[in-house]
Amino acid sequence: MSKLLIRGGRIIDPANNLDRQGSVSVADGNIIAVGDELEAFTPDRIIEAEQQIVCPGFIDLSARLREPGHTRKGNIQSETRAAAAAGVTTLCLPPDTNPVIDTPAVVEYIKDKSEKAGYEQILPIGALTQRLAGNEISSMFALKQAGCIAVGNADLPLTKLQILRRAMEYADSHGLLLIYRPNEPSLSADGCAHDGAFASRYGLPGIPAAAETVAVAQCLELAQLTGCRVHFSRISCKGSVIKLQQAKKYGLNVTADVAIHQLHLTEDDMIPFDSAYHVDPPFRSDSDKQFLRNGLVNGTIDAICSDHQPHDLDAKLGAFPETQAGIAALETLLPLTLRLSREHPISLTQSIAALTEKPAKILGLDKGALTPGLGADICIFAPEQSWLVGHDSWQSAGKNTPFWNKSLQGKVTHTLQAGRTIYQQ
C-alpha cells in the first residue's frame, strides 16, 4: 500500500468548512486523514507544501479535448496533460466530437483513449439528440449505461421546443441531468460579437443578450412542466442571472455555471479584429460581467468552468467573423479564479467551492472534497507564484488565448488523481 503525506500547507476544503494549516495523509489512493499528522503513519513519500494551498482537485464542467475527430486542434493526450497542469482532476467532455457521443461505442473509445493517456476521469456528456441534429432523441438509457454523466446538445440547436420537452421527459425518467447551453439560433444567427458598441463600431454581426435570455426562459418553463433537472451551461448576461435567480427562489431544480473568462473580459477589452477574443457566447457589457460576478457570490451561479476550446492556427486566421469561436482556457482557470478573489468580494473559499464542491454536487459525484475515505483527488498550488503564459509554460495544443504573453499569478505545483501524481511542476 503506497502512502503519501502532504505536509504543512494551508488546507482549504469548502465541502468540510475547513481552512487551516495542516497535513493530508493518503494511502492506497484514498484520503485517510486531514489536519493533524497521524502518529502511526509512515509515508513512502512526502510533499512539502509550505506557502502553498492544498485543496480538492478541480472539476471542470466543460472542456473540449478535440478527440475524437478534431485532432489537428488537440487530442486527449495533449489536453488532459493541460488539465493536469491546471489542477483539474475530473472533466466533462461535451458531445460535439466527431463522431458525436451518441452511441456506447464512442463512449468506449473515449474511455480507452483516456486510460492510455493516464487520465481516467473524463466524464462524457451524451448527445441529447441523434448526431446532435436536433430532431430525434438519442438512446439516453444506453448512453447512461455506457458511462455518460449527463446529456446535452452542446452548442447546437434543437429543431423545435417539442423535441426539448420530450428529451427532458426522457432524461428525467432515467434520472439523467440535462446540460443546456441557452441560445435561440434565430436571434444569434451568424453573429460573432455582443450586439453592443463594439460590434456597431467595427461593423460586426451582433448576438443580442436576448438570444440567451429567451432560450433560458423557454427552458425554465419546460423544466417546470417536466420536472427535469437542468444545468445551464456557460451563461453570459444579466438577464439570464435574473431569470435563474427567480427560478431558484421558487424552488425550480436548476443550476448554472459561467466560463471563467466571462468573469473578467467584456466587449470593451476586445482588441479589434483579434480572433483570440472571438468566443461564443460573446464577451458582453461591463454590466453583464458585474451581474455574473454577483450571481456567483449570491449562489445564483453555482460553478465556474473553463469552457476550454483549443484551436489550430488556421481556425483563428482570417476576418474576425470567419474565425472559429473559443479559447484554450484550462491553464488560465486557476490564476483567473484567484484574480477574481482579489478584485471582487468573493472569498477564496467560495471561489474554490465553485471549482470543487459545487460541480461535484451538480453531477452527483462523491468528489470535490478532502473527506477521509474519498479518492485522493488533490490540487496543490502556489497562490503568489507569477508565471508568463507562453510556449515554455503551456501544455495545451491550442495557443488561442487572449492572455498569451501575459503574466498571471497562481500556479499549480502538484496534481493528484486517486492518489497518483499526474502533474508536478
Side-chain angles (χ1 to χ4, degrees):
M1 184 170 72
S2 62
K3 297 179 180 177
L4 169 69
L5 179 67
I6 303 168
R7 185 162 63 191
R10 179 184 171 188
I11 302 169
I12 299 181
D13 180 12
N16 288 302
N17 196 27
L18 187 67
D19 185 350
R20 56 162 290 185
Q21 294 294 131
S23 300
V24 177
S25 303
V26 175
D28 203 22
N30 294 320
I31 297 166
I32 61 168
V34 177
D36 299 324
E37 291 186 31
L38 299 173
E39 289 185 6
F41 186 73
T42 304
D44 303 310
R45 182 185 172 211
I46 297 175
I47 296 176
E48 301 290 353
E50 288 87 359
Q51 309 300 317
Q52 298 182 61
I53 290 175
V54 181
C55 67
F58 303 145
I59 300 171
D60 193 346
L61 292 169
S62 182
R64 263 85 172 180
L65 306 180
R66 300 310 192 194
E67 190 177 7
H70 307 286
T71 51
R72 67 187 183 282
K73 298 172 183 288
N75 54 50
I76 287 176
Q77 183 80 44
S78 66
E79 302 318 295
T80 56
R81 190 166 57 238
V88 174
T89 53
T90 302
L91 60 84
C92 293
L93 176 64
D96 52 350
T97 51
N98 185 16
V100 165
I101 306 175
D102 62 355
T103 65
V106 180
V107 178
E108 285 302 316
Y109 174 86
I110 292 166
K111 283 183 180 178
D112 181 59
K113 295 292 286 190
S114 65
E115 287 176 10
K116 288 176 179 172
Y119 189 104
E120 299 186 18
Q121 295 181 176
I122 297 173
L123 305 177
I125 299 170
L128 193 67
T129 58
Q130 295 179 30
R131 302 176 302 283
L132 290 176
N135 49 23
E136 292 181 78
I137 296 171
S138 66
S139 300
M140 295 183 199
F141 183 67
L143 293 172
K144 181 181 179 181
Q145 293 291 94
C148 288
I149 190 71
V151 289
N153 226 43
D155 291 351
L156 296 168
L158 301 174
T159 53
K160 50 189 175 183
L161 282 175
Q162 183 70 349
I163 297 293
L164 181 57
R165 176 186 175 178
R166 296 304 180 207
M168 283 180 162
E169 291 170 343
Y170 195 29
D172 186 57
S173 69
H174 293 305
L176 273 165
L177 173 70
L178 191 148
I179 296 180
Y180 185 67
R181 157 79 206 293
N183 177 45
E184 172 47 52
S186 63
L187 291 173
S188 57
D190 297 323
C192 64
H194 174 57
D195 190 19
F198 182 87
S200 298
R201 190 179 309 130
Y202 295 100
L204 298 173
I207 302 174
E212 181 175 298
T213 56
V214 166
V216 168
Q218 290 174 334
C219 189
L220 287 173
E221 288 288 341
L222 293 177
Q224 187 172 28
L225 178 68
T226 62
C228 182
R229 190 164 58 96
V230 178
H231 176 73
F232 288 87
S233 175
R234 296 171 287 145
I235 66 166
S236 69
C237 63
K238 169 183 171 180
S240 297
V241 177
I242 293 171
K243 285 180 169 53
L244 288 167
Q245 191 172 30
Q246 289 292 317
K248 286 190 169 189
K249 179 181 176 182
Y250 289 104
L252 220 56
N253 192 8
V254 295
T255 51
D257 68 53
V258 59
I260 184 63
H261 40 263
Q262 295 284 357
L263 296 167
H264 289 278
L265 298 176
T266 71
E267 60 174 346
D268 297 330
D269 297 305
M270 294 174 67
I271 297 174
F273 313 114
D274 185 345
S275 62
Y277 292 86
H278 185 184
V279 291
D280 185 18
F283 293 123
R284 299 199 183 274
S285 69
D286 188 66
S287 173
D288 290 307
K289 183 183 78 174
Q290 295 306 326
F291 263 77
L292 292 171
R293 288 181 166 190
N294 291 337
L296 193 63
V297 172
N298 64 33
T300 301
I301 298 173
D302 304 84
I304 298 171
C305 72
S306 72
D307 189 17
H308 179 66
Q309 299 191 45
H311 282 297
D312 58 324
L313 187 60
D314 287 348
K316 288 292 188 180
L317 291 177
F320 191 93
E322 297 168 0
T323 59
Q324 295 181 30
I327 288 176
L330 274 168
E331 291 162 86
T332 52
L333 178 62
L334 172 66
L336 293 183
T337 301
L338 295 176
R339 182 189 289 181
L340 188 66
S341 295
R342 291 191 292 269
E343 295 178 354
H344 194 74
I346 177 171
S347 69
L348 181 58
T349 298
Q350 200 170 9
S351 297
I352 291 176
L355 294 172
T356 58
E357 175 195 9
K358 298 292 185 65
K361 283 185 176 176
I362 291 167
L363 298 171
L365 299 174
D366 282 333
K367 292 181 178 295
L370 299 178
T371 306
L374 292 185
D377 291 348
I378 298 171
C379 172
I380 306 171
F381 65 90
E384 305 300 329
Q385 182 178 338
S386 295
W387 60 287
L388 185 69
V389 179
H391 292 286
D392 293 340
S393 61
W394 200 251
Q395 301 293 328
S396 171
K399 311 295 187 291
N400 50 300
T401 169
F403 299 99
W404 196 257
N405 281 333
K406 294 185 179 177
S407 180
L408 298 176
Q409 190 174 333
K411 191 82 175 75
V412 172
T413 61
H414 300 77
T415 303
L416 278 69
Q417 193 180 61
R420 185 171 59 88
T421 301
I422 58 172
Y423 173 77
Q424 182 170 345
Q425 188 180 31

